[in-house]
Amino acid sequence: MTQNDLLNITYSSLDQAREEMSGLLKERRRDYSLPRPLYNDPHMFRIDMEEIFQKEWLFVGMTSEIPTKGDYVTVEIGQNPVLIVRAADGSINAFHNTCRHRGSRICNKHRGKVANLVCPYHQWTYDPKGNLLFAGTEMGDEFDMKKHGLKTAHCKTGGGFIFICLAEQPPESDFDEFLQTLDTYMEPYDVENTKLAVESNIREQANWKLVIENNRECYHCNGSHPELLNTLLEWDDTNDPRAPQDFLDYYASQAAAWDAEGIPHEHCSFGNRNRIVRMPLKQGTQVMTIDGNEGCSKLLGRIQNRNLGSMRILHLPNSWNHMQSDHFIVFRVLPISAQESLVTTKWFVHKDAKEGVDYDPERLRQVWDATNDQDRVLAEENQRGINSVGYQSGPYSKTFEFGVINFLDWYGDTVIDNLK
């Protein structure tokens, strides 16, 4: 059998997987979990990468991670290495992290600072706008450097969040409206004047959708997250159908204080993909620390009230976030394989806050380190059970798990549309 025969088998099986995946998603019960292949089949994982992670807007990081010219971060979207760098004019640009000479990765560190981007293989050199500055005389007199700049990836920012899209044409949607709303809701935090305090990365042996599903409900919280429930109220948002009247009354009293300070808080959704809502924490607590007391002595931006609760920001397919008065926490999920995902958590504080004086990194991360590890175990056990031949799709609670239903509705509809 020739190499071309092997390629044809691969392409044929992928085409068959596309047809099967489309059929499974069209026929699925919307209030039930997905069929097993959508959680563990390598062909369907590849389709997820091509139809979701190579076509949709993805959260990658915060603008304050790259505050000055030449600061960069890198990220791997499947087999696609991407470089995000700040230019001299303050703009943030995303490029495919692959040299236009022989394709080598240019930046091989997670983050750094450079005057220019120099490929370590043959020293081709690019400026932070992606223009090729140097390729050596070996390329000959007819070589046109202007035609060999770095390939760009679409990049947009809103409220200090950085999003990229690897598609040639980004999807048409209400994404720009979401970014404008992010600008408004994040204004009090002054993200440009924050800094990364601490970061964690966890490799979970679970499909990325199981990681997101687990996040989209707190049905499991009472049995799994004692540290988190010291401060977190289990209601998903102000529209949660389970929320009792005493919670709604508590929210109203908190909202009055937020209004007095000009702090945005009202629920704002953009379909099932994006949502922003400010939720109070338990009475008597300020932020998500183990005892609910301050995480950093310096408040963020123009904030004066430590009792801001948590502004929850959802962005599908790969991020959820908690914005609080003295620090904020962002979460990013990136698929690695059909049954492995990378979960990154980052904690940010005021840029003038001094470690060991104004904040303790271990205290900041204590609650979510515990919670993330607990969720890792839950997702991995979920994956192991789904791998069984005995697994079949099971029903979701329309009250406790409505967030999971919303996520899978978005996922299923998006894949079907992108497969057309």
Side-chain angles (χ1 to χ4, degrees):
M1 184 175 289
T2 67
Q3 184 175 359
N4 284 336
D5 291 332
L6 290 171
L7 288 172
N8 288 335
I9 289 175
T10 301
Y11 292 146
S12 175
S13 60
L14 186 60
D15 288 341
Q16 292 170 1
R18 287 176 178 273
E19 291 181 11
E20 181 181 353
M21 188 171 189
S22 181
L24 288 173
L25 288 172
K26 289 177 181 177
E27 295 168 6
R28 75 182 181 91
R29 289 188 60 172
R30 288 187 173 243
D31 56 348
Y32 272 61
S33 59
L34 296 173
R36 182 171 59 152
L38 293 169
Y39 291 120
N40 68 2
D41 182 84
H43 288 93
M44 296 197 181
F45 172 77
R46 177 173 170 180
I47 298 168
D48 272 1
M49 296 306 298
E50 293 179 353
E51 303 303 331
I52 295 289
F53 285 85
Q54 290 176 206
K55 288 186 177 179
E56 300 299 318
W57 286 102
L58 308 174
F59 168 68
V60 291
M62 304 299 292
T63 58
S64 60
E65 295 182 69
I66 47 175
T68 59
K69 174 191 173 183
D71 291 333
Y72 73 86
V73 293
T74 60
V75 65
E76 304 278 333
I77 312 298
Q79 295 183 342
N80 300 288
V82 180
L83 164 69
I84 301 100
V85 60
R86 193 182 287 261
D89 63 2
S91 63
I92 293 176
N93 305 285
F95 303 100
H96 292 274
N97 188 11
T98 174
C99 183
R100 293 296 307 281
H101 177 213
R102 298 265 295 277
S104 175
R105 279 198 312 170
I106 298 169
C107 295
N108 53 27
K109 295 181 179 179
H110 177 48
R111 64 178 72 249
K113 185 178 183 65
V114 293
N116 289 301
L117 303 164
V118 181
C119 178
Y121 203 173
H122 301 95
Q123 287 70 58
W124 278 34
T125 303
Y126 309 82
D127 68 18
K129 287 280 192 178
N131 302 304
L132 181 60
L133 301 177
F134 172 80
T137 58
E138 297 83 1
M139 300 308 297
D141 294 338
E142 295 182 358
F143 177 72
D144 188 351
M145 291 203 300
K146 292 182 179 179
K147 294 182 179 179
H148 292 81
L150 293 178
K151 285 195 172 181
T152 60
H154 299 283
C155 183
K156 292 186 176 184
T157 62
F161 287 76
I162 305 172
F163 301 90
I164 64 169
C165 180
L166 301 184
E168 288 191 16
Q169 286 293 332
E172 294 183 7
S173 66
D174 52 11
F175 189 65
D176 286 339
E177 184 182 354
F178 169 63
L179 295 181
Q180 293 170 5
T181 306
L182 264 183
D183 280 335
T184 299
Y185 275 63
M186 289 297 297
E187 176 273 328
Y189 296 90
D190 189 15
V191 172
E192 289 294 295
N193 284 306
T194 65
K195 67 178 180 180
L196 178 64
V198 63
E199 174 178 343
S200 78
N201 290 279
I202 301 176
R203 293 173 76 101
E204 299 189 10
Q205 303 302 310
N207 184 275
W208 69 274
K209 294 186 290 294
L210 294 179
V211 176
I212 299 295
E213 285 189 40
N214 178 74
N215 171 260
R216 292 291 77 227
E217 50 91 356
C218 209
Y219 189 15
H220 68 279
C221 289
N222 277 327
S224 301
H225 298 319
E227 296 86 357
L228 183 62
L229 291 184
N230 285 340
T231 58
L232 183 75
L233 293 169
E234 66 177 286
W235 322 121
D236 190 61
D237 61 37
T238 53
N239 296 335
D240 193 318
R242 300 168 298 149
Q245 187 60 46
D246 60 348
F247 163 75
L248 298 176
D249 293 341
Y250 175 46
Y251 172 82
S253 67
Q254 293 289 90
W258 301 336
D259 285 333
E261 197 171 327
I263 302 294
H265 61 83
E266 292 183 357
H267 177 117
C268 191
S269 292
F270 302 82
N272 287 328
R273 182 195 309 253
N274 295 306
R275 185 201 67 188
I276 308 173
V277 63
R278 186 178 301 283
M279 290 284 286
L281 296 172
K282 283 188 174 179
Q283 294 192 42
T285 66
Q286 299 175 346
V287 292
M288 292 177 175
T289 53
I290 196 68
D291 58 7
N293 293 326
E294 70 178 40
C296 181
S297 62
K298 290 187 178 296
L299 294 170
L300 297 172
R302 64 173 177 83
I303 293 167
Q304 299 176 15
N305 178 7
R306 286 193 172 272
N307 296 310
L308 283 194
S310 168
M311 186 168 74
R312 305 179 186 182
I313 301 172
L314 171 69
H315 172 70
L316 297 179
N318 78 320
S319 181
W320 64 90
N321 311 275
H322 287 281
M323 307 293 148
Q324 303 160 91
S325 58
D326 62 27
H327 71 282
F328 62 81
I329 314 165
V330 300
F331 301 81
R332 184 186 70 199
V333 178
L334 293 175
I336 298 174
S337 71
Q339 299 188 46
E340 188 173 12
S341 305
L342 177 67
V343 179
T344 299
T345 309
K346 300 177 182 179
W347 292 257
F348 290 79
V349 296
H350 193 286
K351 72 174 185 179
D352 295 333
K354 295 181 180 179
E355 181 178 335
V357 177
D358 297 304
Y359 69 95
D360 175 2
E362 295 305 312
R363 175 175 165 77
L364 277 184
R365 64 186 295 171
Q366 183 179 7
V367 168
W368 278 105
D369 273 355
T371 303
N372 285 341
D373 192 58
Q374 292 152 0
D375 281 335
R376 175 191 61 79
V377 172
L378 292 171
E380 291 180 349
E381 291 301 322
N382 198 180
Q383 183 72 64
R384 291 187 181 101
I386 285 173
N387 288 342
S388 167
V389 295
Y391 166 79
Q392 65 182 53
S393 298
Y396 293 118
S397 164
K398 293 181 181 179
T399 51
F400 282 79
E401 295 169 300
F402 73 94
V404 183
I405 296 172
N406 289 346
F407 161 56
L408 291 183
D409 281 349
W410 173 84
Y411 164 75
D413 292 345
T414 301
V415 172
I416 290 170
D417 286 345
N418 288 348
L419 281 172
K420 291 177 182 178

